[in-house]
Amino acid sequence: MALNLTQKIIKDHLVSGEMTPGAEIALRIDQTLTQDATGTMAYLQFEAIGLPRVRTELSVSYVDHNTLQMGFRNPDDHAYLRTVAAKYGITFSPAGTGICHQLHLENFARPGRTLVGSDSHTPTAGGVGSMAMGAGGLSVALAMAGEAYVIAMPKVVKVNLTGRLTGWATAKDVILTLLGIMTVKGGVGKVIEYAGPGVATLSVPERAVITNMGAELGATTSIFPSDAATKAFLTAMGRPGDWVELTADPDAAYDEVIEIDLSTLEPMAAAPHMPDRAVTIRELAGMKVDQSCIGSCTNSSYADLMAVSEILAGKRIDPTTDLLIAPGSKQVLKMLAAEGRIDPMLDAGARILECACGPCIGMGGSPVSGGVSARTFNRNFEGRSGTQDAKVYLVSPQTAAMAALRGEFSDPATWGEAPARAELPENAPSIRHLFLTPPADGAGVEIKRGPNIAPLPPFTPLAATVAAPVALKVGDDITTDHILPAGAQITALRSNIPAISEYIFSRVDAEFVPRIKKLGKGVILAGDNYGQGSSREHAALGPRYLGVVAVVAKSMARIHRANLVNFGILPLLLADKADYDRIPAGAEIAIRTGDITPGGTVAMTVAGVGPVAVKNDLTAKELEIIRAGGLLNLVRQARA
Ligand code: F3S
């Protein structure tokens, strides 16, 4: 039978399950990655499992989120991550080496391999044909322990690319266009597989821009074939031996096909505050831009920054605009420096930041109050920049550079000739020596635990009857940033559940934490697409610690739903979405949990309203996890 690329990789890694869309499948995982903000918790969980060493082909721990080390918390976390890595056989990438996805693409990602990462933009590695999925830290801990990774067999969407990019259109404009077509909900339960003659015209870093922002479609992952361009990239990265050819069979079937003619694309932006609010830059012409930020795991490659350098060469940025540039890795920075491409940026007035996530995670670089920021990043949720009333437009590096020069968005027809697309130098300098390779035997390594490393709180099994009030009622599109805001002060507490829980929903309802503490437990009532955004499991762990027993929503985002299950919170869906309006905040809810069956519907009793039908899309295994009080409890029980 002819197979598409996704099916081929899944077939190669299938531990159990049927390859029919929606069916539960378990996959063998070859590689894992973590970043510091989610990594500390992933490793605390791996430690709790009690193995002497990871069982993957490769596991890498990156430090790229909280690199500023203001106060003791971040350095404590970094010391913990470094020593845990040495003890358990994990490669460690110190702060400032680069952004996890950029580094993984350059140094470790391999075609045909499976990768699970505790960061939602892990699909970036799909740029080289790796099946790379974002997951909660607990799933990553289990993958490191050699447990199979369980997902629903995805549908596969073929995005058929024809033509080639022309003028100022870039890979960013491909994915912004697709986001406009599919929306932030369009990829749920699907893998986005790129095919067609247009694929060959895109380099691996360009493909990685597209797979990176596939996360914003809500997709399981996105993937490109591994072809001559992949071989050229891996060769330039000094690892030609990692290349294998990997393409879909010519007559492979797909669940859906979307056509994109690359030659018709033009510079685009995602308008505030959603990545799918695609508009053309032409439409924005004349809008004042107060700040441009270039970097992040989406757009910080050598080619991206070469284009920026060329645009800025010999010019000065508008005096009322800031320009911040963060190269994605030290390798990118070294290549730019070696070719004299940093000077034009400095002379134009740009600020060069560390090779890290930086402003993308609210680590400095916040825009002015009410300001417009043109960012090459992948998310523009309200407040994520650190300035609550700022308006973030997601754009290509070329568009961000032009906006910085002119101090406003302008019609690309007036920009002159677009810079050429830079090819990677044949012998790109290696930075492999900067990664700390673990010793063959880590038994003697002592793990450093500073005061910011708090043990995991214990969670009790699910009660036979859940009786709790609606502690919070929220609307549609609640993101993980709403549940747990980003920013230096808060993310520094990620290895300390009691401390970080104080910030749960703090920017939505400041009374939520004191209220649920007083109540002891509660239910969250939500609209559509609850929990979209990042993979941060603290957005489930924090509520669980505070006493949230169930989330009842119209619909839910995939990764967050998985995190709720992992930490023993019931994810329930209103059978009739109209019931949302009937249930007031504060209403007492009772659910007989013993009656819940996988995929079944039960009636929950809502005081003053009556019975309300709620369904679930839980598998038997997921229900078992919730009943045990979370996955860690279940794994421990199984090993006892
Ligand atoms: Fe970092 Fe932003 Fe990517 S926080 S991993 S650069 S989405």
Side-chain angles (χ1 to χ4, degrees):
M1 194 184 113
L3 298 177
N4 57 47
L5 182 51
T6 307
Q7 290 165 334
K8 282 186 184 182
I9 300 178
I10 289 178
K11 190 167 168 243
D12 256 12
H13 291 82
L14 196 65
V15 175
S16 65
E18 290 288 321
M19 287 173 51
T20 347
E24 186 176 285
I25 54 168
L27 297 177
R28 180 169 46 79
I29 297 302
D30 302 316
Q31 303 188 343
T32 64
L33 72 78
T34 56
Q35 38 89 342
D36 50 300
T38 55
T40 46
M41 192 48 61
Y43 297 114
L44 283 167
Q45 290 167 147
F46 179 77
E47 286 192 275
I49 297 169
L51 284 177
R53 206 165 172 87
V54 293
R55 293 186 170 164
T56 42
E57 161 191 297
L58 173 83
S59 288
V60 191
S61 169
Y62 297 95
V63 177
D64 57 4
H65 276 54
N66 295 302
T67 56
L68 296 182
Q69 301 186 325
M70 294 180 299
F72 68 94
R73 292 196 172 93
N74 299 157
D76 275 12
D77 285 355
H78 302 170
Y80 170 72
L81 291 169
R82 178 172 47 77
T83 50
V84 155
K87 189 167 187 73
Y88 295 110
I90 297 151
T91 300
F92 181 71
S93 172
T97 312
I99 304 171
C100 56
H101 307 306
Q102 179 73 22
L103 286 171
H104 206 80
L105 187 77
E106 290 169 346
N107 296 284
F108 302 111
R110 296 175 68 172
R113 294 295 212 269
T114 50
L115 164 69
V116 168
S118 63
D119 189 279
S120 48
H121 291 96
T122 303
T124 310
V128 294
S130 166
M131 180 149 177
M133 295 162 283
L138 181 53
S139 299
V140 176
L142 290 165
M144 288 191 288
E147 301 267 336
Y149 179 56
V150 178
I151 55 168
M153 177 68 196
K155 288 185 174 173
V156 185
V157 180
K158 176 183 184 179
V159 176
N160 194 46
L161 300 176
T162 53
R164 61 168 59 235
L165 294 167
T166 58
W168 290 88
T170 67
K172 185 64 160 272
D173 306 307
V174 177
I175 189 62
L176 292 177
T177 300
L178 188 61
L179 271 155
I181 297 169
M182 291 186 76
T183 79
V184 289
K185 294 167 203 157
V188 175
K190 300 173 188 173
V191 170
I192 315 297
E193 187 172 312
Y194 292 85
V199 166
T201 70
L202 298 171
S203 67
V204 164
E206 288 176 311
R207 297 173 186 185
V209 171
I210 295 169
T211 55
N212 173 281
M213 276 193 86
E216 276 54 56
L217 295 166
T220 305
T221 190
S222 301
I223 192 164
F224 272 84
S226 171
D227 57 8
T230 320
K231 188 176 187 180
F233 174 78
L234 291 174
T235 304
M237 293 296 110
R239 47 192 191 105
D242 285 354
W243 183 73
V244 287
E245 188 171 21
L246 203 62
T247 52
D249 291 330
D251 46 352
Y254 293 88
D255 297 290
E256 201 179 316
V257 179
I258 293 174
E259 299 282 343
I260 294 185
D261 179 354
L262 297 173
S263 52
T264 62
L265 302 186
E266 62 175 302
M268 305 286 294
H273 298 285
M274 237 359 117
D276 61 359
R277 294 201 54 209
V279 292
T280 64
I281 296 297
R282 254 182 312 127
E283 291 169 72
L284 301 176
M287 179 187 287
K288 171 87 188 90
V289 173
D290 302 283
Q291 179 197 55
S292 283
C293 289
I294 298 172
S296 90
C297 58
T298 316
N299 273 124
S300 59
S301 69
Y302 169 76
D304 280 340
L305 299 192
M306 285 290 279
V308 168
S309 179
E310 197 173 322
I311 292 166
L312 297 177
K315 305 195 177 78
R316 284 289 303 273
I317 60 168
D318 183 273
T320 64
T321 303
D322 271 337
L323 173 59
L324 286 71
I325 301 175
S329 72
K330 279 190 177 169
Q331 187 178 24
V332 169
L333 183 55
K334 274 168 69 97
M335 287 190 280
L336 294 169
E339 294 179 25
R341 294 306 192 125
I342 297 292
D343 268 10
M345 298 179 181
L346 297 176
D347 289 333
R351 296 158 61 186
I352 307 294
L353 307 181
E354 192 175 34
C355 303
C357 300
C360 181
I361 192 66
M363 225 35 83
S366 298
V368 66
S369 286
V372 167
S373 181
R375 301 185 156 207
T376 69
F377 307 167
N378 46 37
R379 296 212 162 122
N380 56 352
F381 302 142
E382 207 169 356
R384 183 175 166 101
S385 65
T387 303
Q388 198 58 29
D389 60 357
K391 295 175 200 67
V392 173
Y393 288 78
L394 304 176
V395 298
S396 71
Q398 288 82 338
T399 299
M402 286 306 303
L405 284 180
R406 300 206 173 166
E408 61 179 24
F409 287 122
S410 51
D411 186 342
T414 66
W415 294 357
E417 188 152 342
R421 288 153 75 202
E423 298 284 335
L424 276 166
E426 252 174 40
N427 289 315
S430 171
I431 56 160
R432 296 288 282 246
H433 59 287
L434 297 177
F435 300 119
L436 304 186
T437 307
D441 180 0
V445 176
E446 194 192 324
I447 297 176
K448 285 201 181 337
R449 289 177 216 276
N452 198 40
I453 311 291
L456 287 180
F459 294 138
T460 52
L462 184 69
T465 302
V466 162
V470 174
L472 187 69
K473 182 173 179 177
V474 287
D476 292 344
D477 295 324
I478 288 293
T479 70
T480 46
D481 279 286
H482 287 118
I483 304 171
L484 180 66
Q489 189 191 1
I490 302 174
T491 47
L493 299 171
R494 285 195 182 189
S495 32
N496 190 330
I497 299 303
I500 204 167
S501 297
E502 296 292 325
Y503 294 91
I504 295 295
F505 284 115
S506 57
R507 297 205 185 133
V508 174
D509 177 353
E511 290 308 307
F512 173 73
V513 171
R515 182 164 63 243
I516 193 161
K517 278 185 172 172
K518 205 161 144 209
L519 293 166
K521 57 188 166 176
V523 170
I524 291 172
L525 180 64
D528 269 313
N529 205 16
Y530 179 77
Q532 67 158 323
S534 82
S535 67
R536 68 187 67 149
E537 60 192 350
H538 296 75
L541 258 169
R544 172 72 210 253
Y545 174 76
L546 291 169
V548 172
V549 285
V551 173
V552 178
K554 289 183 183 174
S555 64
M556 240 172 253
R558 180 183 69 89
I559 298 180
H560 187 65
R561 174 198 166 285
N563 284 334
L564 292 177
V565 171
N566 283 343
F567 297 105
I569 296 179
L570 270 170
L572 299 173
L573 302 169
L574 290 166
D576 179 357
K577 290 185 180 185
D579 282 336
Y580 171 88
D581 296 322
R582 296 170 57 215
I583 308 173
E588 284 289 338
I589 285 182
I591 307 164
R592 283 158 52 131
T593 64
D595 295 347
I596 297 176
T597 53
T601 301
V602 292
M604 63 179 192
T605 311
V606 182
V609 175
V612 170
V614 283
K615 54 186 185 174
N616 71 75
D617 54 0
L618 297 167
T619 63
K621 174 81 180 178
E622 287 176 330
L623 200 50
E624 194 190 353
I625 292 168
I626 295 169
R627 291 199 200 288
L631 188 49
L632 211 51
N633 285 359
L634 193 67
V635 171
R636 280 192 190 124
Q637 278 169 20
R639 296 177 65 86

